[in-house]
Each structure stands twice: as C-alpha cells, then as structure tokens.
Amino acid sequence: MELPVPDAASVTLKDPSQFRWIGKPVPRLDGYDKSTGKAIYTIDVQVEGMLHAAVQHAPRLGLTVGSIRNEQQVTSMKGVHSVHRQEGAVAVVAQRWWTAKRAAESLQVDWNDPGAETSVRYMPADFSSAAFNDRLANETGAGQDAETEGDIHQALTNAHQVVSATYRSQYLNHAQLEPPSTLARFNPDGSLDLWLPNQAPGMFQADVAKITGLGLEQIHIHSPLLGGFFGRHFLYPTATPYPQAIQLAKAVGKPVKLIWSREEEFLRDVLRPMAAVRFRGGLDEQGLPVALEAISATEGPTEGVANKQGDALDPTALEGLSGKAYAIPNKRVAQLYVKNPVMLGYWRSVGNSMNDFLYETFLDELADKGGQDPFALRMHLLKGNSRLSNLLQAVEALSGGWKRGPFTAEDGSRRARGIAMASPFGTEVAVIAEVSIEHGQVKVHDIWQAIDPGSIVNPALVEAQVNGAVALGLSQVLLEEAVYKNGMPVGRNYDLYPILPAHRMARVHVRIIESGAKMGGIGEPPLPAVPPAVANAVSRLTGQRIRSMPLSHYHFDSEKML
C-alpha cells in the first residue's frame, strides 16, 4: 500500500539519547563466514550443467585475433569442449577451469594490429610508463582553468619568494584478491541469469540489455560478495568478463563460468591515472603562502572510461587539488589534458588518492621554504574554519602532541612525523604518520587518523574502514606501481607487483569526530591523507624532498639522517 509522503515539519525525530543501535559499535554479521572460507563469491557459484572457461587476451590492447596455429590440437585436448575467437581475446571452454586455463595459455595466436577505424584504445608496441611519466612532467602550457581565486599572476609577481616544483604520481592496478569472473546462464524462457562481482547492478543490467537485445525484465543480475574491489567492478570497456561469458554461453548452449587468471587480470585491469603537477607557490616576507598554482598534466578516470575529453573538465582528474579549504588568497588549479594509451578507471578515493599526495607534500615544501612548521602553518591557513581546526587539534591530541622531529625513539631509532589533510566525499580527515628508516626502507610505525564524517551509524565499521584504507594508502606510497615496457605490463602477478606485506603494516589509531555536518562517506575518505603524511615525515627525517611515489624508488641511508 502506498502512503503519502508526510510534511517534513510534521515529523518528530527520535532524540539521539534514545538510540539503541546508532552510534554504538556492532560487529559485521558476515565476518565469521569470510574468515572461515564459508562466504560465497562469484568464483564459488555453481549451477547444474555448467562448463568452465578461460581466456588469453592480446598482449597489447587493441590487437585483434588473426590465425590460431594450433587450434585443432588444443580442441582435441582431453576435457576441452571448444575454442572461441572473441574481441581482442581467444577463449577455451572445458569441463574444468584448470583445463580451460592450460588450454587457453597454450593457444598460439597470431595477433594483428587494428585498422584505422577501431574505437578501442590501441597500445603502441613502444609504450613505456617511465617515458610517459617524463612526457607529462615536461608538458607545457597554461592548461584549462578548474578553480581560480584572486589574481595568481600578480600575486606570484609580487611574492617575496616563489617556489616551483613538479610532483608526480604513478599508475596503479586495483590488485584486488578476487579476480574478475562471470557465470552466464540462458534459461528456456529466453531470460538470462548473470552472477558477477559488481558495484552497480542497475548499470550492468542496462549494459547487458544493449549487448543482448533482451529486455531489462529478462536479465537477472546476481551480486555475490565482492572479494575486494576498490573501484574495479564498474562498467569498463575491455576490462570486464561478462560480455565474453555471455557470448560463450550462447555459443555452447550451456551455462558457462568464466574466470580470468591473475595474469589476465593484470593485463586488462584499468589503471589509476598518472599525473605530473607543476606547482608554483608564492610566499610573503613572513614565509606564509599568498599564492598557489597547480597545473596537472593528466587524463581523468571519467575521461578515460569515456575514451575522450568531455566538454567540461573531468572533476575526478583534479579533486584533491581543487576544493582545498586552506585560506590562500590567490590560487589557480588547471588541467592539461593528455590522453593515455592505457585504459583508466576509478581507484579507491578516485582523484584524491593521488592529488592529495601531490598538494599536501608541496604544501610542506612551501612550509620549509618559508621557515614555517607544517602543523602550525595548516592551523594558520584554517583559522576561522572551526571544523577543520578542531580536526587538526584532535589528531594532535590523539598522537600525544605534535612532535615533528627528527627525534630518537625509546628503541634508539631516529624518527620523524608528518602531517596531511584531505576532504574527499564530504568527509574531513587529518593524519599524522611516524616513520624511521630500517635497512634502507621506510618503516611506518604509527598512523594517527582523526576523521569527521559529520555523523556516523556504526563506529566499528568506521574504524574497520580506516584500517583498511590505511593499509591501501601505505601500499600505494611505499610499494605499488604499474610499470609498462614495450606496451605490456611488467607485473602480471603479485611477484612483480608487490603490495604491502603484513610486517610493514603500521599501528593505526582512530578518533571519530561527529561535527554534525552533513553525513559524508567512509569507504574512500580515510585513504588520501595517508601517503602525504608518510612522505612528509620521510622528507623531514632524511632531508630528501619526496616529490613522487612509490618511495621504493628512493634510496635512504640511515647513516645520513638529520
């Protein structure tokens, strides 16, 4: 029965003192099943009469299938049902997935370059991510304005000191634990059932309708638990297995479960964008910032998914550079659009994941050039902003007081601390990191995070999200990088794409602030301030300015510490 929507003024809300569950820590109900292997993911789903499939993608994006030199031999392998040609891939359907995987890997395919009319991004054979990073850093031009305030040209001209620097971010894989998979089953009534990991069932249903010509009511999307996703399971052309699984199920007339191997996933994963940002900061006689310009040479993830530059700037390309609350009277943020050969996508906290690193580390460089303490400088620039000032004070108290260092810890190690802030998805975050150098590597001892989502429901889930985001943020700043040589990824598994090991995880301390502001997110926001806080601490400890990630590219000598 439909009821009329009441007038909002007539609704009396429950007093928070009467809440039974809101604001109280409640454990997740699925934690036990996930921890004991009982949880069901897409790769675990089975239906009657199901066959299994594996694929071999073209080594470079955009290549097409030519001849398969040993197709007859592979088809005759024990357990193999059939061999199939697909767009940019070949597939094997078999009785068992391991049989399908071995057969698909053994196919000897002659790959052809695409014609000029192709709409798929083409990966050149000579593409190098290192060379492309250098190209971005050397891009010239003023870019297209995204944010302006005051008179940046006049302010920089009149500044007592101008600081210029270029900061860089790297490509990143999603590297989620569960590889992409889809189980497709056509039913006798003409309907289609799909089991697949996804973050937006309605979007997938609409896209499947376009692919198959079926009505929405004929398409049933089943959404099992996700084995990690971080933005991986959206609609990405060339990076999702469900079109392949649908084609195979239709061809063989039976349900087919397609699982990409880890190597195929790393080959076709969409990447977090790379960027190079040219900064200029103007300081007055007291060493305080009066101007800040940031020109980012990049392509945003939304532009990447669309495979073109839109009429308006892609906000996901610049978030974390634009929208900063610091009271710098003259500012300009702009984008130089540079198209990538790689397919781009959304990564946890999207543009903030790289841009807050770039901005917050440059802000520390400005502080050092002006003789300012970076914590005190942020407090000064946030004067009059009670929400963010309170957040800074909260993280300071949580850490036992601001102590930049370098200082000697109780265990005799030389340490330093760094500070950073971020404002993604309606939530405010402040982070302090404490680091040392051990055997030439950065060791992060503690992360203190104060987070203000406005208001919360379950503090246990907030704290869990913070811990997970800290792990991913540390992995990004310390180790992770998707490297391409000769148009192909160097790392096709975790051996050559290292992620944060357990022994390098920091202790995490969380303070939740409920300011009463409009409720923000909690899955994305805890991440972006972690990398710059770590980098700022390392810069302070070593005297070596950190202007890029990952820190594994740098050499640190514990004997030459400040």
Side-chain angles (χ1 to χ4, degrees):
M1 181 176 66
E2 293 187 6
L3 298 175
V5 178
D7 185 346
S10 69
V11 177
T12 302
L13 298 179
K14 182 185 292 186
D15 188 274
S17 64
Q18 299 177 349
F19 289 166
R20 293 180 58 200
W21 301 111
I22 294 176
K24 297 177 175 61
V26 179
R28 291 184 63 100
L29 299 179
D30 58 4
Y32 179 80
D33 284 352
K34 288 180 176 179
S35 302
T36 57
K38 294 182 179 180
I40 300 298
Y41 301 88
T42 299
I43 59 175
D44 302 312
V45 176
Q46 299 188 48
V47 297
E48 185 177 353
M50 180 180 73
L51 294 173
H52 298 264
V55 296
Q56 177 195 147
H57 289 104
R60 291 183 288 111
L61 191 64
L63 298 181
T64 60
V65 179
S67 62
I68 304 176
R69 298 191 300 276
N70 62 340
E71 182 173 1
Q72 185 175 351
Q73 295 95 312
V74 172
T75 303
S76 63
M77 289 173 60
K78 183 179 179 179
V80 169
H81 179 280
S82 49
V83 174
H84 302 261
R85 290 167 170 79
Q86 299 191 309
E87 184 177 357
V90 290
V92 172
V93 177
Q95 298 297 326
R96 298 176 180 273
W97 183 76
W98 190 252
T99 301
K101 177 182 183 293
R102 294 198 315 173
E105 291 174 344
S106 68
L107 288 171
Q108 299 171 8
V109 185
D110 293 321
W111 300 100
N112 298 329
D113 285 324
E117 69 283 355
T118 182
S119 60
V120 177
R121 287 196 184 204
Y122 172 63
M123 173 62 75
D126 62 350
F127 177 74
S128 158
S129 54
F132 191 73
N133 197 309
D134 288 338
R135 176 193 163 185
L136 293 179
N138 290 300
E139 285 287 325
T140 59
Q144 185 177 352
D145 287 354
E147 180 180 81
T148 59
E149 187 174 330
D151 187 334
I152 189 70
H153 175 74
Q154 193 65 38
L156 288 171
T157 300
N158 296 336
H160 178 72
Q161 182 183 3
V162 174
V163 181
S164 300
T166 298
Y167 281 68
R168 309 182 186 201
S169 69
Q170 75 278 44
Y171 285 135
L172 292 177
N173 282 104
H174 289 88
Q176 76 286 348
L177 186 60
E178 180 191 15
S181 58
T182 299
L183 170 55
R185 182 184 67 191
F186 284 94
N187 301 307
D189 63 358
S191 63
L192 172 63
D193 279 280
L194 287 172
W195 290 261
L196 72 163
N198 69 88
Q199 294 176 243
M203 293 173 59
F204 280 77
Q205 185 185 41
D207 192 61
V208 172
K210 293 180 182 178
I211 294 172
T212 61
L214 296 174
L216 293 176
E217 72 282 356
Q218 296 176 284
I219 301 165
H220 310 131
I221 301 294
H222 304 267
S223 303
L225 289 170
L226 294 169
F229 43 100
F230 317 121
R232 175 64 180 89
H233 297 304
F234 282 116
L235 292 178
Y236 297 125
T238 75
T240 48
Y242 65 90
Q244 298 170 335
I246 292 170
Q247 181 183 348
L248 294 173
K250 187 174 183 179
V252 304
K254 292 185 177 182
V256 172
K257 181 164 69 175
L258 168 63
I259 302 175
W260 285 5
S261 68
R262 181 68 60 193
E263 289 75 17
E264 295 303 316
E265 158 64 354
F266 271 95
L267 183 62
R268 280 294 174 268
D269 186 17
V270 291
L271 304 183
R272 198 279 304 274
M274 176 188 290
V277 179
R278 298 199 320 265
F279 284 104
R280 288 193 299 166
L283 303 176
D284 63 15
E285 291 82 357
Q286 286 76 44
L288 297 172
V290 293
L292 194 151
E293 180 182 58
I295 304 174
S296 179
T298 191
E299 179 180 22
T302 301
E303 293 168 328
V305 173
N307 202 19
K308 63 180 181 180
Q309 185 178 23
D311 295 332
L313 285 173
D314 177 1
T316 63
L318 299 171
E319 56 189 359
L321 292 174
S322 59
K324 284 289 191 178
Y326 299 121
I328 300 174
N330 304 281
K331 60 184 74 171
R332 177 177 183 264
V333 177
Q335 180 189 3
L336 278 167
Y337 174 77
V338 183
K339 191 176 180 66
N340 290 252
V342 302
M343 287 297 295
L344 302 177
Y346 304 107
W347 199 84
R348 190 171 183 176
S349 72
V350 198
N352 296 91
S353 67
M354 62 180 182
N355 289 327
D356 278 303
F357 167 82
L358 302 168
Y359 189 105
E360 292 285 318
T361 46
F362 179 66
L363 186 61
D364 257 43
E365 183 168 351
L366 285 181
D368 286 340
K369 293 290 186 180
Q372 301 289 326
D373 175 83
F375 183 90
L377 176 62
R378 286 172 172 83
M379 287 295 295
H380 173 80
L381 295 176
L382 295 171
K383 189 180 301 182
N385 187 324
S386 60
R387 185 183 184 190
L388 295 187
S389 297
N390 291 340
L391 196 67
L392 266 179
Q393 291 168 342
V395 78
E396 178 192 24
L398 182 65
S399 67
W402 172 243
K403 183 167 61 171
R404 191 184 187 196
F407 57 88
T408 301
E410 290 183 0
D411 64 359
S413 62
R414 292 289 287 169
R415 301 188 186 185
R417 292 182 178 182
I419 179 76
M421 302 188 75
S423 305
F425 298 88
T427 293
E428 302 292 346
V429 178
V431 170
I432 290 175
E434 182 171 308
V435 307
S436 67
I437 302 298
E438 189 175 275
H439 308 301
Q441 292 185 327
V442 176
K443 180 177 178 62
V444 184
H445 296 273
D446 292 274
I447 295 289
W448 294 274
Q449 180 162 151
I451 184 164
D452 176 9
S455 58
I456 65 168
V457 175
N458 187 346
L461 295 188
V462 173
E463 188 158 346
Q465 287 288 345
V466 171
N467 275 266
V470 167
L472 198 55
L474 292 178
S475 194
Q476 173 192 183
V477 71
L478 297 177
L479 295 167
E480 288 192 43
E481 181 180 23
V483 176
Y484 274 66
K485 292 182 180 179
N486 301 318
M488 294 179 287
V490 172
R492 296 279 298 274
N493 211 317
Y494 295 117
D495 55 344
L496 295 178
Y497 186 88
I499 61 176
L500 187 76
H503 73 272
R504 296 192 69 179
M505 181 60 181
R507 292 182 294 265
V508 180
H509 316 268
V510 184
R511 178 161 295 173
I512 301 169
I513 307 296
E514 293 189 84
S515 63
K518 181 180 178 181
M519 184 182 287
I522 197 60
E524 321 264 10
L527 188 149
V530 173
V534 171
N536 288 336
V538 173
S539 288
R540 179 61 176 176
L541 181 62
T542 65
Q544 188 173 351
R545 181 61 56 190
I546 305 299
R547 295 195 179 112
S548 64
M549 299 182 283
L551 297 183
S552 56
H553 284 206
Y554 291 81
H555 174 72
F556 302 109
D557 188 345
S558 57
E559 300 299 321
K560 297 181 179 179
M561 232 60 80
L562 292 177

